[in-house]
Amino acid sequence: MAPEISHSLADLAAEGRLVHVAREFADESVEPYWLVVAATGDRAVNERVALAAEAARRFCNVVDDSELCTFIMPAIVDRSPVTIAIGTGGHSPVLARWVKGLIEAWLPSRLGAVAELAGRWRERVRERVPDATERRHFWERVVSGAVAEHAFAGRDEDAEQTLEAELTAWGGDAVAKRGEAYLVGAGPGSADLITIRGRQLLATADVVLYDRLASPALLNYARRDAELICVGKTARQPSITQKQLNRLLVGHVNAGKRVCRLKGGDPFIFGRGGEELEALFEAGLKFQVVPGVSAAEGCAAYAGIPLTLRGMSQAVILTTGHTVDDTSPTLRDFRPGQTLALYMGVAHYAEISAALVAAGHDPATPAAIVESGTTEKQRVIRTSLRSLAAAQVALDIRAPALLIVGETTRFAERYSWFAPSRIEHYEDAAAEPRTRVG
Ligand code: SAH
């Protein structure tokens, strides 16, 4: 509706692709329509349209005026019948298009073919697999397996035949056998640092057993109906023992569930993943292991500290400061020309530095403490063996924190790219490490 329209619109009208109502807007004009769009370029008219629409309970979009809108037009990723709408609440159409670009690139172009196939087979699958949980497992296999791969590649007939074959072969006792555990490394703290494989398995799991160290944002990738169980352990308040955890894991897998054991960092680096795997193995259950970015790698990268460096550090020792004594072998093996990455043990920095000095290391050897590495709370403290324990107390450093000892920690300031405002230098000249433990 407009008294006059442009040539290009007039052409569309001539082709019958739009109907031009050639008159001024009046309040009752909105009545016969489901949706109203005001795009007149005259703010006063636009406002009148919006008010009239509001009064008549019609949804109204006013172009470039989100205040007046009762609906917005999101960017669309069209894989019909799969449709993805991206809205920013009118704040940034450019951002919406950018997100659209990411999703466009990510989704197979023939996604719609899989949806259509699923629609055609829905009834038959419902009859053949009456149990709802089992049916979901069947469909998950379809959309993430060979059937979808055929469809994505344009081989619709193969997709159809494979689906039929899988449906025929779908066994009654298959449920229990389908139980499986996924030991997934969640990365050191930032949700972005999980692997693609880890995310895929997290997204298929029926049950997620997660650590306190795994980023809580990762749980958004779990299915909405997945059972989420926190099995986090903290140094001070043990909530669940490893034995109980193993039993929980084995129990759920035995019941036919796909269980994602989401572990901070890497499952096989101070993650007790080996123990959980042994419990699964003993019980004869299926499992997969997905590596993760371990705290040493994550903290080093986000603190700008190369773990090895030609001419400066030829080896990395990953060890724990949890239980330190004189004979702690890995600490004794640490030499100049190497980097030591020490997990846990924030409360034992005095003993650790004393043990290293007793083993012949210079008290001035540089060290860095990375607290809550890779997260928005990351702090990096550059210090030395001599001042390590004092730094921990003075700056109130708490777990999770990773201690890195060696010459390459000197680069933390130079290469700080992630949180340059939260890097501190701490030297306590008065502090002398105890020379002997105990
Ligand atoms: N499997 C994990 C380690 C678990 S042990 C991994 O591969 O990273 C827990 C210890 O890891 C903590 O005490 C701390 O020393 C270290 N850690 C884990 N996340 C960390 C983080 N975001 N910042 C600093 N240290 C971290």
Side-chain angles (χ1 to χ4, degrees):
M1 176 174 299
E4 292 151 28
I5 52 175
S6 67
H7 288 303
S8 53
L9 286 181
D11 288 347
L12 289 178
E15 286 170 33
R17 294 174 65 191
L18 64 79
V19 176
H20 176 206
V21 181
R23 60 172 150 82
E24 298 266 342
F25 174 79
D27 287 356
E28 61 281 6
S29 308
V30 299
E31 289 291 345
Y33 303 104
W34 291 99
L35 290 176
V36 179
V37 178
T40 68
D42 178 335
R43 198 180 147 98
V45 176
N46 284 352
E47 248 176 61
R48 265 185 60 210
V49 176
L51 284 174
E54 175 80 26
R57 300 282 188 271
R58 299 296 185 273
F59 285 114
C60 178
N61 179 282
V62 180
V63 174
D64 284 340
D65 194 338
S66 55
E67 290 281 296
L68 292 179
C69 290
T70 46
F71 78 92
I72 54 159
M73 284 185 271
I76 295 287
V77 176
D78 184 4
R79 299 282 192 280
S80 292
V82 180
T83 311
I84 297 161
I86 303 138
T88 60
H91 289 292
S92 176
V94 172
L95 182 66
R97 276 197 295 276
W98 184 75
V99 174
K100 169 183 151 88
L102 291 185
I103 297 175
E104 289 279 7
W106 190 40
L107 293 180
S109 58
R110 297 199 80 254
L111 192 64
V114 177
E116 272 161 7
L117 181 68
R120 282 199 297 281
W121 282 80
R122 225 172 147 190
E123 266 316 306
R124 266 175 286 178
V125 172
R126 203 200 307 271
E127 278 161 26
R128 175 86 176 82
V129 191
D131 179 76
T133 307
E134 245 208 279
R135 199 160 59 239
R136 196 184 61 231
H137 289 176
F138 177 80
W139 281 122
E140 277 167 0
R141 213 182 124 119
V142 168
V143 302
S144 64
V147 176
E149 284 309 324
H150 282 310
F152 293 158
R155 298 183 299 253
D156 288 332
E157 244 171 61
D158 290 341
E160 199 101 22
Q161 277 164 15
T162 308
L163 197 158
E164 181 159 25
E166 286 188 0
L167 188 59
T168 311
W170 197 256
D173 65 340
V175 190
K177 286 199 211 106
R178 236 177 352 270
E180 188 172 12
Y182 313 131
L183 246 58
V184 173
S190 163
D192 291 347
L193 293 177
I194 192 171
T195 62
I196 291 173
R197 184 63 185 148
R199 243 177 80 173
Q200 284 170 349
L201 291 179
L202 173 58
T204 50
D206 304 300
V207 179
V208 180
L209 304 177
Y210 66 97
D211 265 2
R212 247 180 260 278
L213 285 174
S215 166
L218 283 174
L219 298 177
N220 292 329
Y221 299 126
R223 285 206 330 260
R224 265 200 340 187
D225 61 334
E227 192 182 344
L228 308 177
I229 305 171
C230 177
V231 293
K233 288 172 280 188
T234 55
R236 238 147 267 165
Q237 22 166 224
S239 42
I240 176 170
T241 65
Q242 188 66 41
K243 223 176 179 168
Q244 287 170 320
L245 175 49
N246 292 352
R247 224 176 291 138
L248 192 65
L249 183 61
V250 166
H252 279 299
V253 178
N254 249 330
K257 299 278 169 58
R258 285 156 312 166
V259 183
C260 178
R261 174 72 181 96
L262 189 64
K263 302 169 77 66
D266 183 280
F268 281 174
I269 298 179
F270 302 116
R272 306 189 74 167
E275 291 161 57
E276 289 165 30
L277 214 59
E278 179 59 26
L280 291 162
F281 178 82
E282 274 295 315
L285 297 171
K286 282 205 296 179
F287 51 77
Q288 297 183 37
V289 185
V290 182
V293 174
S294 191
E297 300 159 294
C299 291
Y302 276 56
I305 299 171
L307 287 174
T308 69
L309 192 66
R310 259 160 65 98
M312 196 177 275
S313 171
Q314 311 308 331
V316 188
I317 297 178
L318 305 185
T319 186
T320 166
H322 206 52
T323 48
V324 185
D325 55 49
D326 256 359
T327 52
S328 189
T330 39
L331 281 188
R332 241 188 12 218
D333 291 343
F334 174 56
R335 303 255 176 282
Q338 301 180 338
T339 306
L340 181 71
L342 216 110
Y343 291 68
M344 302 175 267
V346 173
H348 304 289
Y349 284 173
E351 289 98 309
I352 291 159
S353 55
L356 290 173
V357 170
H361 289 274
D362 186 342
T365 305
I369 307 164
V370 184
E371 182 190 60
S372 297
T374 78
T375 75
E376 73 272 17
K377 289 186 302 198
Q378 168 172 309
R379 274 203 298 170
V380 177
I381 288 87
R382 276 254 291 116
T383 181
S384 61
L385 284 183
R386 179 193 291 126
S387 303
L388 185 59
Q392 187 263 320
V393 174
L395 301 175
D396 189 26
I397 291 156
R398 295 169 189 219
L402 186 93
L403 172 65
I404 308 178
V405 182
E407 288 299 322
T408 61
T409 58
R410 289 187 197 281
F411 288 103
E413 274 107 357
R414 189 176 173 82
Y415 298 155
S416 71
W417 61 272
F418 177 62
S421 64
R422 288 193 303 280
I423 174 161
E424 290 163 75
H425 205 153
Y426 187 91
E427 277 302 334
D428 177 5
E432 278 302 321
R434 283 182 276 154
T435 46
R436 213 70 201 153
V437 183

